[in-house]
Amino acid sequence: MGSGTVPCCGWKLILTHPSPNFGPRRDGAVPDMVVVHYTAMMSADGACRTLCNPDNEVSAHYLIDEDGTLRSMVSEGMRAWHAGAGAWGAVTDVNSRSIGIELANSGACPFGLAQMDALVDLLHGITQRWAIRPERIIGHSDMAPGRKIDPGRKFDWRRLWLEGLGVWCDGTSSHDLPVDPEIFRDAAKAFGYPDVDDALLLDVVRMRFRPWHSGPLDAVDMHIATDLAERFPVDAPRLSA
Ligand SMILES: [Zn+2]
């Protein structure tokens, strides 16, 4: 199949690699989030076999090969089993509320252009079909800090943001912010991060927004967290468009 192309008949997508590992979304939920993963396996074919094997009880809606080939495995309306334990804001059953996308990647390599192009195409389609806001596109590590590290420090969140997908903040600010762990924690939680210890929270925020930085909490981290909380409060009521 051509890169990034989903065979589509109206709302019904034809699955190229159907997985038996899915169920109905609970409580009538519809997807309003996307969770991005990497497979942590050596080949896309191997990952596909794993995600389609009923013994494994794992799946995703989509798998994108390194060359950009898109494999569809679970219908978007169904609940795939990709997120597991974790939370984003008030959402604790992330599988019922999300669409899961696996990127074929061992975890050690950068994500190539063809694969990223296919992801961008797919995300444009999903966010339009389900009216999903950019800030509701998150990484597996965001909702499961300490348990998951994908899509990892090599994933280009800034590229997604430049495409109108996902959010970005580089931490630059014209004003100095006091470095205060409590304010950082409250802000990160207001953006959506779960309640975890301070060191883990700092690590997971940096994994996405400041991937190569280390050291103690500083003013740039403070700006990132407070800016995200202000612009994208996760559970704030919104008027629908
Ligand atoms: Zn994952």
Side-chain angles (χ1 to χ4, degrees), residues 35-39 82-83 101-102 139-141 148-151:
V35 180
V36 179
H37 305 256
Y38 65 53
T39 55
H82 59 96
I101 302 173
E102 289 278 359
H140 202 186
S141 58
K148 294 292 174 181
I149 58 167
D150 58 318

Side-chain angles (χ1 to χ4, degrees), residues 75-205:
S75 295
E76 290 181 1
M78 291 294 170
R79 181 178 182 273
W81 304 338
H82 59 96
W88 189 249
V91 176
T92 51
D93 179 6
V94 176
N95 279 336
S96 279
R97 294 279 293 272
S98 66
I99 287 175
I101 302 173
E102 289 278 359
L103 303 173
N105 187 297
S106 67
C109 308
F111 297 85
L113 193 58
Q115 193 176 36
M116 287 301 290
D117 286 348
L119 175 64
V120 165
D121 282 355
L122 178 62
L123 284 172
H124 277 308
I126 291 170
T127 53
Q128 282 166 21
R129 279 192 288 280
W130 297 99
I132 296 174
R133 299 194 305 270
E135 67 269 29
R136 305 286 290 172
I137 300 172
I138 65 170
H140 202 186
S141 58
D142 292 324
M143 55 142 292
R147 194 174 70 79
K148 294 292 174 181
I149 58 167
D150 58 318
R153 288 181 159 80
K154 294 184 174 69
F155 184 76
D156 192 352
W157 287 103
R158 189 170 176 279
R159 158 89 198 269
L160 289 195
W161 169 71
L162 290 170
E163 304 276 0
L165 302 159
V167 297
W168 184 249
C169 176
D170 62 10
T172 54
S173 173
S174 56
H175 54 280
D176 281 341
L177 287 172
V179 176
D180 183 328
E182 211 165 307
I183 294 173
F184 177 81
R185 185 171 59 245
D186 288 349
K189 283 168 64 179
F191 175 61
Y193 283 100
D195 197 3
V196 294
D197 73 61
D198 286 355
L200 180 55
L201 186 62
L202 179 60
D203 187 53
V204 77
V205 171

Side-chain angles (χ1 to χ4, degrees), residues 1-8 13-18 44 48 60-74 76 99-104 114-126 129:
M1 192 192 331
S3 69
T5 307
V6 182
C8 181
L13 304 179
I14 297 166
L15 302 179
T16 62
H17 297 76
C48 190
H61 295 86
Y62 297 100
L63 167 64
I64 303 177
D65 293 21
E66 292 91 336
D67 67 0
T69 302
L70 181 65
R71 307 185 198 215
S72 46
M73 296 181 287
V74 175
E76 290 181 1
I99 287 175
I101 302 173
E102 289 278 359
L103 303 173
Q115 193 176 36
M116 287 301 290
D117 286 348
L119 175 64
V120 165
D121 282 355
L122 178 62
L123 284 172
H124 277 308
I126 291 170
R129 279 192 288 280

